[in-house]
Amino acid sequence: MGIATSDGVSIYYERHGAGPAILFVHGSGGHHAAWWQQVAALRGTFTVVTVDLRGFGNSDSSMPEFDGQDFPGDILAVLDQEDLTDVLLVGQSIGAVAALRAGLARPSRVSGVALAHSLGGIADPALSSLVAADRAEAVKLPVLDRLLSASFQRAEPALTFLFQQMGTFNVAKMADLRNLSTGGPSIDEVAGSGLKITFLAGENDAVLSAATVRRAHELVKGSALELIPDAPHSMYWEAPALFNAAVTRIREAIIPLTRNAEVD
């Protein structure tokens, strides 16, 4: 475990294993411990870092409100303290927004960003309208049904209960978060960043449709797509073997920026 400081705010994180680095950024109902199935599976091959954004888990939650514009700095504080380079950032849902901005801000430390079940807050009218249409359908479902499949909830009541309990450790709630997507990067900024961008999603995601993810991949030239059959929004929890295999493929596909410079 460790503590990094981001603009005077204490940010909790953990580092496990050794090898090429992967840093996981949780969604609105998670925190560092939500990645237990990723840490256990991947730490034998990779350096696995998990972080609590401010307002979540063990990080400072004393502020009266939580601004999404501060989250990328929380990630960068951890990268700087651990002096990590050639990192793959994996952001789940709203965590993908913070991960993408952190990567764009510090390409000297970040080589790739996996946008898991999210478009990362990319500012584009066409994509925004698709996301809004997906959300309009999603809100018709109970919150839990948006995140986990009905079959999983029936077959795994204990894991479903634990999933729900994860959010009770957070002070920040989705309704408390401001400016999550305000001033997001353009498609051209993302495509021209030099980062390896991968859209990672499930075919059965009830929050973000497969069609929307495919369209984002088409528009962000040079991006990669990992669209997993039969996987829901919280694939990392419900289908960890599929998620972990995809993350491994994404990590192994990254060519470090320093290596590119040597080749050039």
Side-chain angles (χ1 to χ4, degrees), residues 80-101:
D80 288 344
Q81 176 150 311
E82 289 295 313
D83 194 24
L84 293 170
T85 57
D86 185 30
V87 179
L88 169 65
L89 301 181
V90 179
Q92 167 69 17
S93 195
I94 69 161
V97 179
L100 179 57
R101 294 191 184 203

Side-chain angles (χ1 to χ4, degrees), residues 4-224:
T5 302
S6 174
D7 290 330
V9 175
S10 297
I11 302 300
Y12 179 88
Y13 69 93
E14 295 186 1
R15 178 172 178 167
H16 304 271
I22 304 172
L23 186 149
F24 290 95
V25 188
H26 59 80
S28 62
H31 46 74
H32 72 278
W35 301 108
W36 59 285
Q37 297 178 101
Q38 284 65 57
V39 172
L42 300 176
R43 64 186 172 186
T45 305
F46 304 106
T47 295
V48 179
V49 181
T50 58
V51 60
D52 288 339
L53 300 173
R54 63 184 67 201
F56 294 85
N58 293 332
S59 287
D60 188 353
S61 303
S62 62
M63 55 285 297
E65 57 185 2
F66 306 96
D67 193 327
Q69 300 289 312
D70 295 326
F71 292 158
D74 298 345
I75 298 168
L76 295 176
V78 174
L79 294 179
D80 288 344
Q81 176 150 311
E82 289 295 313
D83 194 24
L84 293 170
T85 57
D86 185 30
V87 179
L88 169 65
L89 301 181
V90 179
Q92 167 69 17
S93 195
I94 69 161
V97 179
L100 179 57
R101 294 191 184 203
L104 293 172
R106 201 67 58 83
S108 60
R109 293 201 179 279
V110 178
S111 291
V113 182
L115 306 175
H117 308 275
S118 169
L119 303 189
I122 295 173
D124 178 80
L127 291 179
S128 296
S129 64
L130 292 175
V131 170
D134 289 346
R135 287 178 179 169
E137 290 301 310
V139 297
K140 297 176 183 178
L141 299 172
V143 173
L144 189 59
D145 290 345
R146 301 174 206 170
L147 307 178
L148 299 174
S149 69
S151 59
F152 180 84
Q153 293 178 53
R154 288 192 299 269
E156 300 287 352
L159 284 176
T160 298
F161 178 72
L162 182 58
F163 179 84
Q164 293 173 291
Q165 292 298 103
M166 281 286 170
T168 66
F169 292 90
N170 300 327
V171 172
K173 307 299 180 186
M174 189 65 185
D176 300 324
L177 305 182
R178 302 186 298 111
N179 297 323
L180 280 172
S181 297
T182 302
S186 68
I187 287 176
D188 288 342
E189 287 175 310
V190 175
S193 66
L195 299 174
K196 181 65 175 179
I197 303 297
T198 304
F199 294 94
L200 170 58
E203 286 274 10
N204 292 346
D205 191 330
V207 178
L208 186 68
S209 72
T212 295
V213 177
R214 288 192 187 96
R215 184 56 180 154
H217 165 57
E218 292 169 357
L219 291 174
V220 179
K221 301 305 181 185
S223 67

